[in-house]
Amino acid sequence: FHYIFNLRDLSRVWEGILHGLLEVVTSTKVLVSLWKHECSRVIADRFTNSQDKGWFDTCINDVVMEELGSDVCALIPDEPYFIDFLREAPEATGEEAEDADMDAPKIYELMGSFPELEDKLHTFLTQYNETVRGSGMDMVFFTDAMTNLIKISRIIRTDRGHALLVGVGGSGKQSLTRLASFIAGYKIFQITLTRAYNSNNLQDDLKVLYKTAGLEGKGITFIFTDQEI
């Protein structure tokens, strides 16, 4: 088994770094943590074993030590995570303009702690179950589930983002993707298989998908499972 990387991956790292705003990246620690987070998402998330992941962590530390020194290296968290759904929506006062944006601001910033994130995700899950009829998702947000949701959320917020989620059945791949899409304000698109479903039906479904994403410019997540292939 081998990995394939190219210059597009380097551009994806910079694309992620440029999501950080001046009001957030106010120190060397935050900037270097953001750089490590983006490198980890673009490169290390593809690794298939802990040995490769350990090599990557060592390489990151060596580069920081060589280029920036031990003081900066000591500032970097072991696992920095950046997300854009920590902020609360502004409270309505009745004096807002008609075109005022009352949605929660999408500020890409360093995550605090996992307990704080868990509370936030429970709030989103409650809103999801109240908004999406017939869903009734019941999820346990253990650490691995939260880190996977962070990774999926980053992919969704990236232009033309896509991912292949690998795992045993029932491990929560679809549920995490649906919740991450809901948090991002995206619609979910999934084909409905029947006995008569063929390539022409798939093309018609894709036309609807492309019209929504391309012509109307709306955020949409296309979930395509192994059973539908």
Side-chain angles (χ1 to χ4, degrees):
F1 187 86
H2 66 281
Y3 307 107
I4 298 177
F5 298 101
N6 53 46
L7 288 178
R8 291 182 181 178
D9 298 312
L10 182 61
S11 69
R12 292 189 182 101
V13 172
W14 281 107
E15 181 182 7
I17 292 175
L18 291 176
H19 285 150
L21 302 178
L22 287 176
E23 64 180 86
V24 173
V25 186
T26 56
S27 66
T28 302
K29 176 182 178 180
V30 176
L31 178 58
V32 180
S33 297
L34 176 58
W35 168 75
K36 180 177 181 179
H37 172 262
E38 296 305 318
C39 290
S40 299
R41 302 289 75 78
V42 174
I43 301 174
D45 283 353
R46 301 189 196 179
F47 293 157
T48 60
N49 55 63
S50 58
Q51 289 82 3
D52 293 340
K53 182 63 167 58
W55 168 87
F56 173 82
D57 291 336
T58 301
C59 184
I60 285 286
N61 291 333
D62 290 345
V63 169
V64 175
M65 181 73 73
E66 180 179 350
E67 299 295 334
L68 301 175
S70 58
D71 292 340
V72 175
C73 187
L75 296 175
I76 307 177
D78 292 335
E79 290 287 346
Y81 291 106
F82 280 74
I83 53 180
D84 66 348
F85 49 84
L86 289 176
R87 305 291 179 97
E88 300 289 344
E91 295 184 3
T93 62
E95 300 178 356
E96 297 83 5
E98 293 183 358
D99 58 347
D101 186 6
M102 300 304 295
D103 294 332
K106 296 292 185 180
I107 307 296
Y108 201 46
E109 55 192 337
L110 186 63
M111 183 193 77
S113 65
F114 279 107
E116 294 175 358
L117 177 61
E118 183 179 1
D119 292 339
K120 191 72 175 178
L121 292 178
H122 278 297
T123 301
F124 282 122
L125 180 61
T126 301
Q127 295 174 354
Y128 177 89
N129 289 332
E130 293 175 350
T131 304
V132 182
R133 295 181 178 179
S135 59
M137 285 201 306
D138 185 14
M139 303 177 65
V140 177
F141 294 112
F142 51 93
T143 302
D144 284 347
M146 289 188 284
T147 54
N148 286 331
L149 188 142
I150 290 172
K151 297 172 183 179
I152 296 171
S153 177
R154 178 192 173 277
I155 293 169
I156 290 175
R157 79 184 306 276
T158 303
D159 291 339
R160 300 176 300 278
H162 57 278
L164 173 65
L165 306 183
V166 181
V168 297
S171 58
K173 298 183 295 295
Q174 283 197 57
S175 297
L176 290 175
T177 303
R178 291 178 182 277
L179 182 58
S181 300
F182 174 79
I183 294 173
Y186 280 28
K187 294 181 178 179
I188 295 291
F189 182 85
Q190 194 168 13
I191 63 176
T192 303
L193 290 181
T194 63
R195 290 186 177 181
Y197 195 91
N198 54 36
S199 59
N200 292 328
N201 300 122
L202 176 61
Q203 291 180 4
D204 292 337
D205 284 338
L206 292 180
K207 288 178 183 178
V208 176
L209 174 66
Y210 292 158
K211 180 180 179 181
T212 302
L215 181 61
E216 300 176 3
K218 296 180 179 179
I220 189 167
T221 301
F222 180 29
I223 298 178
F224 195 50
T225 68
D226 55 343
Q227 296 178 351
E228 294 163 348
I229 295 177

